[in-house]
Amino acid sequence: MSVKAIILAAGQGTRMKSDLPKVLHEVAGRPLVSWALGAVHEAGIEDVVVVVGHGAERVTELLPDTVTVAVQEEQLGTGHAARIGLEAMPVGEGDTVVVLPGDMPLLTAGSVAALLDARAGAAAALLTAQVADPAGYGRVRRDASGAVAAIIEEADASDDEKTITEVSSGVFAFDGAVLGDLLAALEPDNAQDEYYLPDVIARLAGDGRPPAAVRMAAEELTGVNSHEQLAAAGRLMRERINRHWMAAGVAMIDPDRVYIDAGVVLEPGAMLYPGTHLEGATAIGAGARIGPDTFVRDSVIGSGSHVWYSVLRNARVAERVEVGPYASLRPGADLADGSKAGTFVEIKQSTVGPRSKVPHLAYLGDATLGEDVNIGAGTITCNYDGFAKHRTIIGDRAFTGSDTMLVAPLEIGDDGWTGAGSVITQDVPSGALAVERSQQKVVPGYAERRRKKAQEGK
Ligand code: UD1
Ligand code: CA
């Protein structure tokens, strides 16, 4: 016997009022549909069909090749979508088919596994939850014996039924041999004129084959139909992710203000201050201190580094590096061990060698710095001539004076110096000093003469 899954992801998500198909909205940096896929994969289900419709191309684009895509041209309801999904995959005797919505990011693999266990003893099983506010969810009606009798959608529920607080998650597991017939028998005779997948439950119960119900944590049920619910799901996921990393040894002063995407990796001993955002493929080393108020996307920060009040995108920061406050590390910024990018420093497509310092008010673009370089305050690589970008190469132990303009292409040799305020347009040989500025003129007694002139009314 094998287990297969159908993820329903064709809906428009009207209540999102967005051009983006609903299942592409993200929670912790991962689209809703990918969370659904993750939960079934983690539960050991490899055979997956995703039913797409609204924005079919955009949804298909981000699905892995291992997934089968079925297109539901017209969104006639979850029962209709499940039928389209089932048609796209061969299901045999003894197979189990899990059907789940693509808009429930907090569903865990553990609950899917519990559902499969329950399904082993019944023709079908469903996940339910006990909630304080059941509004919007299908209510689980049970008979006098406590067995599940039907799922009543909100739009079709009587006032009495609306008070039921056990709701359906929309996650089901079926005996593959019966699902096809159940779906074929559905009728759209309800308030929304849709084919409701949950209607198969009443049919099974009526046939004397009551489905098994498994309760899961209410949190997992959180569906995303509006931006308010997207934010609520994001908050719950953030709590889950932060709990995970704190248990793994990462310190957070105020976890409510730390935002970590699903794909981020941290080593124990890292310390995250409030206002830290870690996004995309980011990795943080042991003992690194990040924040406050720092945004890091697709970047690596090595152990012992300190990054505060800064923005990093596609940057690499090695070990024991000091970044910020107020630094911007753009794509291709590569800072070696023990280096520094300090206050109001912007670095792009540049390598800063071991122990080299860029402490204040500088721009480095398309530059390569050796070891133990000191970049003076206000130094700028003039890398763009209006048509093309040019490189600046700075040798080991070189020293640029404050407010040096380095007009690229340019090379400063090892131990090369530039004088403060210089516009350097020619290479500086090793060990040499290049100064480019006019001689200073000194006028003695100037202040006294100036005052006299003023007193004489001139
Ligand atoms: C659905 C359930 C409800 C359950 C709730 C849990 C039905 C009729 N209702 O309600 O019992 O409590 O989920 O969150 O099933 N979809 C399609 N094609 C369609 C319609 C929907 O693929 O024709 C997809 C949507 O993209 C979505 C999922 O099915 O991912 C659920 O649809 P949605 O409209 O969100 O159903 P709910 O009203 O939330
Ligand atoms: Ca929903």
Side-chain angles (χ1 to χ4, degrees):
M1 122 172 185
S2 74
V3 183
K4 305 174 179 205
I6 300 172
I7 297 174
L8 309 182
Q12 180 175 20
T14 318
R15 288 163 280 179
M16 301 299 289
K17 299 189 170 60
S18 152
D19 291 339
L20 195 66
K22 180 168 82 174
V23 294
L24 294 190
H25 285 82
E26 293 184 355
V27 163
R30 182 180 283 175
L32 296 176
V33 66
S34 303
W35 282 107
L37 204 52
V40 296
H41 277 163
E42 212 186 305
I45 305 171
E46 302 289 342
D47 229 336
V48 183
V49 173
V50 177
V51 181
V52 301
H54 272 279
E57 256 174 54
R58 291 171 77 181
V59 179
T60 305
E61 227 167 71
L62 72 77
L63 295 173
D65 295 342
T66 50
V67 162
T68 304
V69 173
V71 181
Q72 184 193 25
E73 300 287 356
E74 249 189 307
Q75 280 68 57
L76 303 178
T78 49
H80 178 252
R83 200 165 77 209
I84 303 262
L86 194 64
E87 281 165 8
M89 86 178 148
V91 171
E93 199 70 33
D95 285 348
T96 292
V97 181
V98 174
V99 184
L100 69 158
D103 65 351
M104 248 179 73
L106 289 130
L107 175 70
T108 62
S111 291
V112 175
L115 179 74
L116 292 175
D117 284 347
R119 175 10 233 145
L126 71 153
L127 290 172
T128 74
Q130 194 66 48
V131 294
D133 176 14
Y137 292 104
R139 312 298 204 274
V140 178
R141 204 176 69 206
R142 291 180 182 259
D143 65 18
S145 74
V148 173
I151 296 170
I152 319 290
E153 291 306 303
E154 168 111 355
D156 304 286
S158 66
D159 286 348
D160 246 15
E161 287 165 334
K162 279 186 184 147
T163 63
I164 299 174
T165 51
E166 185 186 9
V167 299
S168 168
S169 65
V171 184
F172 302 92
F174 298 98
D175 176 349
V178 303
L179 182 58
D181 290 343
L182 287 169
L183 293 175
L186 286 176
E187 294 288 349
D189 48 4
N190 49 57
Q192 305 187 84
D193 301 322
E194 286 183 2
Y195 294 90
Y196 287 167
L197 172 63
D199 279 356
V200 303
I201 295 302
R203 170 63 68 100
L204 282 169
D207 286 353
R209 290 183 290 177
V214 182
R215 289 268 174 92
M216 63 178 190
E219 168 186 304
E220 293 187 49
L221 183 83
T222 312
V224 175
N225 303 298
S226 65
H227 282 286
E228 191 178 344
Q229 288 176 324
L230 183 67
R235 200 173 307 121
L236 290 166
M237 188 63 81
R238 195 150 65 236
E239 284 170 17
R240 192 185 278 179
I241 289 172
N242 289 356
R243 269 199 306 272
H244 165 82
W245 287 118
M246 285 188 283
V250 173
M252 301 178 196
I253 290 176
D254 182 2
D256 290 345
R257 297 194 53 218
V258 171
Y259 309 81
I260 307 176
D261 272 3
V264 172
V265 180
L266 296 109
E267 285 178 5
M271 173 97 179
L272 308 179
Y273 289 84
T276 294
H277 299 249
L278 305 178
E279 299 193 349
T282 287
I284 308 292
R289 285 176 297 147
I290 317 291
D293 296 334
T294 292
F295 178 92
V296 184
R297 175 159 201 82
D298 298 326
S299 298
V300 175
I301 297 174
S303 54
S305 289
H306 180 208
V307 179
W308 53 323
Y309 296 105
S310 292
V311 175
L312 282 69
R313 289 163 291 173
N314 263 294
R316 200 191 70 91
V317 170
E319 300 184 3
R320 300 176 314 284
V321 176
E322 179 81 18
V323 178
Y326 312 109
S328 173
L329 301 186
R330 293 169 48 203
D334 187 341
L335 277 61
D337 291 349
S339 63
K340 173 172 183 162
T343 315
F344 300 115
V345 167
E346 176 177 341
I347 300 182
K348 179 220 82 169
Q349 213 52 257
S350 295
T351 304
V352 176
R355 298 170 307 282
S356 289
K357 307 281 192 287
V358 191
H360 348 258
L361 296 161
Y363 171 63
L364 297 182
D366 307 298
T368 304
L369 277 60
E371 304 178 6
D372 298 301
V373 171
N374 187 77
I375 297 294
T379 296
I380 285 171
T381 54
C382 311
N383 59 325
Y384 185 48
D385 60 12
F387 299 95
K389 305 282 173 66
H390 303 283
R391 291 207 71 81
T392 301
I393 295 167
I394 302 178
D396 296 343
R397 297 170 305 280
F399 181 104
T400 68
S402 296
D403 203 26
T404 298
M405 299 297 122
L406 301 167
V407 182
L410 185 71
E411 184 162 352
I412 299 176
D414 292 347
D415 301 291
W417 287 61
T418 67
S422 296
V423 178
I424 305 295
T425 54
Q426 293 163 37
D427 289 353
V428 180
S430 289
L433 165 69
V435 192
E436 187 281 334
R437 62 186 181 225
S438 49
Q439 285 283 329
Q440 181 171 329
K441 188 176 167 188
V442 175
V443 183
Y446 173 82
E448 183 56 28
R449 287 209 312 278
R450 186 78 186 76
R451 193 177 310 119
K452 253 191 193 156
K453 252 183 175 174
Q455 282 164 353
E456 289 164 3
K458 284 184 197 164

